[in-house]
């Protein structure tokens, strides 16, 4: 079913501009596109065809909220760039290969509910279609030559699992393989019941994993006590899955991985930093059900995994630096408020929260703040911005810092503003006006009446969530 754009009726559009501001509510929507709505464009064109077009908003109508979003570098945006030459080469390189397979192999490649076929397609980037022609099962592989080559390799490995051990070559031209040594006594633990733990890691990191026999120059290393676990996929996915496996091994045999590890920082652009943690630090950095670890990973963009008491942070240099800083600030919170110089940072937004609303925004034992961090994948804490102010006990505002990617920060920022507005109506919306941002990333503001707000919110906020996801 095709998407249809629905323009509001002229009567409703005209009435909105003449509503009383005292009976209105403010609704903010953050978007990556500054494009105006279709109806406003058509009105502008018809009204000013022969003269210069007037803007539908003025500088004075911009948001006057007390939130401050620190500038963000271009890498925070998911910009789409198209290389015409490379796209043309891809089209020329694009093709289809077919592979005839027996019924047993076809069932194995499809997997339960087609999951294995979907997994192979996701990792290789090719399209897979299974059909029957003249009583023979045919697998069609469509994609570039590199994608087709990878797909054939993965398919053959999957079929080999059905009849015996999988053989993996050391010299792999695709650079999509990581091999991990797993102690024999840990193989069952890493695999899980009916392969569930292995499948979970595959789904989480977008890789294909299986135990294999290894062919290469070093095939005799550590033979007898370990088995080789092969992981195919992109570098980031393979590293995330590998660290999960190492964590499971360390849990089963304490010291097997960490006994020779030392704290270190990688000098490479993409690498891994290693830090040792004390027992109490590990418990705090892990969090309930691992939520703090996940929060640090999402906010920094870095892979964060604990192998015993050792934290591994994998990613590019900027991601690793941020992950280390966030971890330091996390521990500093145990001693009191944290002071951060955020003037030159590109990964932070700051919201001024009235002191009377701090407890409401934070929640019991930080529950409310924790839920916002979990929902948006950010790190949030109140700053000690007034530590040198002798009258700091008289201040009426506290500064809440939000760290993470720009979209995540803005989502959490609006959640905080909504909570403050619920506690103290008018704090952010008292002088609010409608406006549309013309920036690549910006916020458009609409003023709604009580009736419109109730309808746009929906029962338990379902309509709002539907609009956001669509």
């Amino acid at each position: 079913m095709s998407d249809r754009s629905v323009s509001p009726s002229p009567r409703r559009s005209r009435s909105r501009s003449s509503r009383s501001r005292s009976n209105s509510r403010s609704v903010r929507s953050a978007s990556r596109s500054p494009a105006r709505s279709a109806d406003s464009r058509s009105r502008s064109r018809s009204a000013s065809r022969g003269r210069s077009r007037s803007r539908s908003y003025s500088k004075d109508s911009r948001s006057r909220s007390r939130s401050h979003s620190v500038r963000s570098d271009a890498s925070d945006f998911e910009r789409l760039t198209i290389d015409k030459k490379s796209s043309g080469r891809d089209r020329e390189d694009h093709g289809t290969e077919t592979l005839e397979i027996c019924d047993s192999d076809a069932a194995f490649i499809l997997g339960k509910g087609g999951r294995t076929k979907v997994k192979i397609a996701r990792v290789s980037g090719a399209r897979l279609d299974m059909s029957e022609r003249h009583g023979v099962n045919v697998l069609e592989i469509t994609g570039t030559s590199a994608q087709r080559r990878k797909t054939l390799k993965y398919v053959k490995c999957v079929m080999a699992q059905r009849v015996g051990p999988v053989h993996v070559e050391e010299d792999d031209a695709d650079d999509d393989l990581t091999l991990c040594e797993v102690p024999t006594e840990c193989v069952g633990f890493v695999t899980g019941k009916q392969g569930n733990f292995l499948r979970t890691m595959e789904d989480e990191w977008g890789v294909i994993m299986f135990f294999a026999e290894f062919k290469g120059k070093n095939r005799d290393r550590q033979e007898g006590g370990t088995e080789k676990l092969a992981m195919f996929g992109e570098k980031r996915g393979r590293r995330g899955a590998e660290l999960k496996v190492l964590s499971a091994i360390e849990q089963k045999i304490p010291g097997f991985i960490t006994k020779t590890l030392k704290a270190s920082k990688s000098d490479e652009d993409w690498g891994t930093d290693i830090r040792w943690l004390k027992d109490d630090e590990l418990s705090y950095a892990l969090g309930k059900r691992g939520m703090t670890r996940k929060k640090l990973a999402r906010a920094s963009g870095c892979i964060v995994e604990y192998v015993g008491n050792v934290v591994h942070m994998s990613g590019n240099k900027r991601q690793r630096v941020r992950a280390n800083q966030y971890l330091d600030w996390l521990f500093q919170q145990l001693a009191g408020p944290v002071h951060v110089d955020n003037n030159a940072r590109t990964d932070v937004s700051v919201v001024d929260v009235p002191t009377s609303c701090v407890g409401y925004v934070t929640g019991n034992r930080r529950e409310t703040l924790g839920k916002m961090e979990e929902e948006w994948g950010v790190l949030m804490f109140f700053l000690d911005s007034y530590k040198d102010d002798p009258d700091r006990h008289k201040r009426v505002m506290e500064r809440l810092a939000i760290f993470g990617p720009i979209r995540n920060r803005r989502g959490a920022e609006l959640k905080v503003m909504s909570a403050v507005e619920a506690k103290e109506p008018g704090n952010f919306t008292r002088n609010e006006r409608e406006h549309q941002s013309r920036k690549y990333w910006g916020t458009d503001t609409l003023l709604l009446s009580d009736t419109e707000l109730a309808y746009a919110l929906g029962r338990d906020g379902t309509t709002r969530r539907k609009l956001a996801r669509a």
Side-chain angles (χ1 to χ4, degrees), residues 17-204:
S17 62
S18 61
R19 291 192 194 103
S20 172
R21 291 296 184 261
S22 60
N23 295 328
S24 301
R25 298 293 186 268
S26 174
V27 175
R28 298 164 178 262
S29 61
S31 69
R32 289 166 46 191
S33 173
R36 298 170 180 166
S37 60
D39 57 330
S40 65
R41 282 202 301 266
S42 63
R43 287 198 301 270
S44 176
R45 288 171 184 164
S46 61
S48 56
R49 182 75 65 177
R51 66 180 187 276
S52 60
R53 297 172 184 171
S54 60
R55 301 187 185 274
S56 60
Y57 61 92
S58 64
K59 292 183 180 180
D60 294 337
S61 65
R62 292 178 181 173
S63 171
R64 292 187 174 89
S65 69
R66 294 189 181 93
S67 62
H68 316 287
S69 293
V70 178
R71 63 184 178 84
S72 297
D73 51 357
S75 60
D76 280 333
F77 302 122
E78 299 172 0
R79 298 183 184 274
L80 177 63
T81 57
I82 301 176
D83 186 340
K84 294 183 179 179
K85 292 183 179 179
S86 111
S87 131
R89 285 196 299 266
D90 287 346
R91 283 195 296 269
E92 293 175 1
D93 194 29
H94 203 270
T96 300
E97 295 184 25
T98 60
L99 182 67
E100 294 185 357
I101 53 180
C102 64
D103 291 341
S104 300
D105 284 338
F108 218 66
I109 291 171
L110 283 173
K112 186 177 181 180
R115 288 183 61 186
T116 303
K117 181 173 77 72
V118 171
K119 178 174 61 181
I120 294 173
R122 180 182 60 189
V123 177
S124 67
R127 175 182 173 181
L128 275 70
D129 294 298
M130 186 85 72
S131 61
E132 185 177 339
R133 300 177 185 175
H134 308 294
V136 178
N137 296 305
V138 177
L139 179 66
E140 285 189 354
I141 305 169
T142 304
T144 64
S145 59
Q147 292 171 341
R148 299 195 305 270
R149 183 175 63 250
K150 291 179 181 180
T151 302
L152 284 171
K153 177 172 59 179
Y154 303 156
V155 166
K156 290 177 180 178
C157 288
V158 170
M159 291 191 298
Q161 284 183 290
R162 186 176 65 85
V163 295
V166 182
H167 298 280
V168 177
E169 299 290 341
E170 179 182 16
D171 298 325
D172 196 311
D174 295 318
D175 192 26
D176 62 344
L177 171 65
T178 295
L179 286 166
C180 182
E181 300 280 351
V182 179
T184 306
E185 56 267 41
C186 291
V187 170
F189 186 70
V190 169
T191 305
K193 187 178 180 180
Q194 297 180 343
N196 286 337
F197 185 59
L198 222 55
R199 301 292 85 80
T200 300
M201 287 187 286
E202 287 179 330
D203 292 340
E204 179 181 358

Side-chain angles (χ1 to χ4, degrees), residues 236 296-303 314-315 319 326 405:
R236 180 180 176 87
L296 291 172
R298 290 184 64 188
S300 64
C302 194
I303 300 171
S314 298
Q319 291 170 341
Y326 296 169

